[in-house]
Amino acid sequence: MESVSVKSAYEREELLNGCQAVSHAVRLADVDVVAAYPIRPYTEVMDQISKFIADGEFYAEYIIADGEHSQFEIGKHAVSVGARAFVGSSGTGWMYATEALVATATDRLPLVAMCGNRALDDPGAFGVEHNDALMLRDVGWNLVWVDTAQQALDTTLLAYRIAEDPAVMMPTAVSLDGAFLTHSQHMVKIPTKEAVDQFLPPYNPKVKLDPDNPVSIAPQANEDWVMEIRRQNYEAGKRAKGVIYRAYREFNEIFGTHYENPFFEEFMTADADFVLIGMGSIAMPAKAAVKEMRRKGVKAGYISLHWLRPFPTEELRKALSRFRGIGVIDRDFAIGTPDLGGVLFHEIRSCMYRSSSRPNILNFISGLGARDTSIEDCMRMIDIVSHAKGDETEQVVTWIGVRE
């Protein structure tokens, strides 16, 4: 196929929410099998895909499951026979599918899923928390968070390219903050099918279930082979970083995008003394807070972390070593952990442990259950980090926006 020019890589621009943007990516990726079961805030993805199919814009086997466990099993087995598949869920639905999610990872099946981040019950809540997707952080799923609807579309296409690379063959979850991103609207450039075809080759696994060529997937291995299988998965996770870099470079070339660093984005950090770091839609109030604190004379910055798995250890360690203080924003809870900090806080602190220049690191728990994290809240975080002394008496974790 002839190379598509950047000018012709997009067919139109539309006002879309995050769910609709992901649906367009699924259509453009020419997915073969969609397994669906409704749960807020993911449901609009399956609704929009069904409309594409009904209107003749997209053909796929569209299977309504009897629950999330069956839904993810359908996706897993579709991938195992050589079909490109898509699934998605949120919150407790994501948890109900855990058995299938873990087996998909340990079997090295490159399923792509969307997680509409939602609080876990009880009590019932439709609002965003990151604990649902974070439950999979150590079992072999690539995990990526996006800030905007455009990133949601782009990253879903990238997820297929990365997951299906023969050097990786790992499932990938694209996380969107429930309501704040799944249902908020952004202007989104929609690529042409020709440009997507140039970027994303057909899914053609080397090993798949085939009655004409019998193989065993997920045999009972026990002590004989389990360690070796785990080591293979471990090595695939290491290789994924290089594949991510290559995929983003090609994406930039074809679509004219500017994803300079696929793993995290820095905002006003060049001369910053203090930075906040977080994932997802928290970037919007955090960036506005940085601008306000700059007007007050505080050299602040923000880092939006996208890929949590694979974790960009060396890159992030180098970037964070430049600053005097770091505030980690967690939109999750982690009960009973060291210093009672959140999940991202411990990832960042572990990353920085071997740094020769180890800045003071504080943690902020904020926005649970979709409670708003305001610009003023983020300004308060920056203020706390900028005045921190880093001694043993200092409060390490602060809950922001909670009624005492």
Side-chain angles (χ1 to χ4, degrees):
M1 180 182 293
E2 292 184 9
S3 177
V4 177
S5 69
V6 169
K7 181 177 287 189
S8 61
Y10 296 96
E11 61 179 33
R12 63 186 185 277
E13 191 170 15
E14 287 188 11
L15 188 64
L16 302 175
N17 63 37
C19 285
Q20 292 166 339
V22 170
S23 304
H24 276 282
V26 172
R27 173 182 63 83
L28 290 164
D30 202 18
V31 168
D32 302 303
V33 176
V34 177
Y37 189 80
I39 184 171
R40 285 182 282 182
Y42 142 82
T43 305
E44 191 173 357
V45 179
M46 59 175 284
D47 292 345
Q48 183 64 59
I49 291 173
S50 70
K51 291 176 183 177
F52 287 147
I53 294 172
D55 293 341
E57 298 179 47
F58 173 45
Y59 175 78
E61 290 291 336
Y62 188 89
I63 304 170
I64 302 294
D66 61 1
E68 289 88 355
H69 186 280
S70 297
Q71 176 194 4
F72 279 77
E73 282 289 335
I74 292 166
K76 181 184 78 173
H77 288 289
V79 174
S80 72
V81 298
R84 179 173 286 160
F86 174 82
V87 291
S89 193
S90 299
T92 50
W94 192 261
M95 292 295 94
Y96 183 39
T98 299
E99 181 186 29
L101 286 163
V102 172
T104 302
T106 51
D107 289 347
R108 300 277 300 283
L109 297 171
L111 179 65
V112 170
M114 177 194 138
C115 184
N117 295 135
R118 168 182 165 178
L120 301 176
D121 297 347
D122 274 344
F126 296 127
V128 59
E129 288 176 6
H130 290 165
N131 283 87
D132 47 7
L134 287 172
M135 293 287 187
L136 296 179
R137 66 187 180 276
D138 298 326
V139 297
W141 276 75
N142 294 322
L143 301 177
V144 57
W145 268 260
V146 297
D147 302 348
T148 66
Q150 184 71 63
Q151 284 184 11
L153 192 157
D154 296 349
T155 305
T156 302
L157 295 174
L158 282 154
Y160 280 107
R161 173 64 181 274
I162 293 159
E164 295 171 359
D165 190 287
V168 180
M169 296 299 288
M170 296 169 65
T172 301
V174 182
S175 286
L176 282 68
D177 285 356
F180 286 101
L181 184 50
T182 57
H183 287 70
S184 63
Q185 292 183 315
H186 304 240
M187 292 304 298
V188 177
K189 293 190 293 184
I190 301 174
T192 64
K193 187 68 171 66
E194 292 74 21
V196 173
D197 288 344
Q198 182 182 336
F199 172 73
L200 183 62
Y203 174 46
N204 186 26
K206 293 181 179 179
V207 178
K208 62 182 177 182
L209 292 175
D210 183 347
D212 295 326
N213 182 29
V215 296
S216 179
I217 293 179
Q220 192 70 21
N222 294 332
E223 71 278 6
D224 292 325
W225 288 105
V226 166
M227 280 199 67
E228 286 72 23
I229 293 169
R230 296 285 187 260
R231 180 58 185 264
Q232 289 180 355
N233 292 13
Y234 168 84
E235 294 295 336
K238 288 169 60 177
R239 293 193 296 268
K241 282 184 65 176
V243 173
I244 288 170
Y245 275 120
R246 291 196 297 274
Y248 275 80
R249 279 198 298 269
E250 282 197 35
F251 195 91
N252 287 337
E253 291 171 3
I254 293 172
F255 297 100
T257 48
H258 301 282
Y259 294 115
E260 296 179 10
N261 180 346
F263 292 96
F264 55 89
E265 173 196 350
E266 298 191 42
F267 178 77
M268 299 185 76
T269 61
D271 64 340
D273 293 323
F274 311 101
V275 297
L276 298 179
I277 181 169
M279 300 191 300
S281 60
I282 202 80
M284 287 177 272
K287 289 178 179 179
V290 164
K291 292 180 180 179
E292 288 298 318
M293 293 302 284
R294 288 269 174 172
R295 293 189 185 100
K296 294 177 180 290
V298 179
K299 292 182 178 180
Y302 179 73
I303 295 179
S304 184
L305 180 65
H306 296 304
W307 288 87
L308 186 77
R309 291 291 185 273
F311 193 85
T313 304
E314 296 83 5
E315 297 89 341
L316 200 55
R317 182 180 295 151
K318 180 179 179 181
L320 294 180
S321 295
R322 301 168 5 226
F323 311 118
R324 290 169 52 191
I326 301 166
V328 182
I329 307 173
D330 267 289
R331 208 162 201 164
D332 61 78
F333 57 88
I335 299 168
T337 60
D339 285 327
L340 306 179
V343 173
L344 183 58
F345 169 67
H346 290 297
E347 296 278 324
I348 299 297
R349 193 160 66 165
S350 175
C351 170
M352 297 305 293
Y353 180 76
R354 296 185 65 185
S355 174
S356 58
S357 172
R358 197 183 304 170
N360 191 28
I361 305 175
L362 300 181
N363 189 204
F364 302 101
I365 310 293
S366 181
L368 302 188
R371 182 162 294 181
D372 187 35
T373 300
S374 67
I375 297 170
E376 290 73 20
D377 289 334
C378 292
M379 290 174 66
R380 182 187 168 201
M381 297 179 205
I382 295 169
D383 187 63
I384 291 172
V385 172
S386 66
H387 287 92
K389 297 178 181 178
D391 59 33
E392 294 181 0
T393 64
E394 195 162 67
Q395 181 175 331
V396 176
V397 180
T398 303
W399 285 61
I400 299 291
V402 63
R403 292 190 293 271
E404 298 294 345

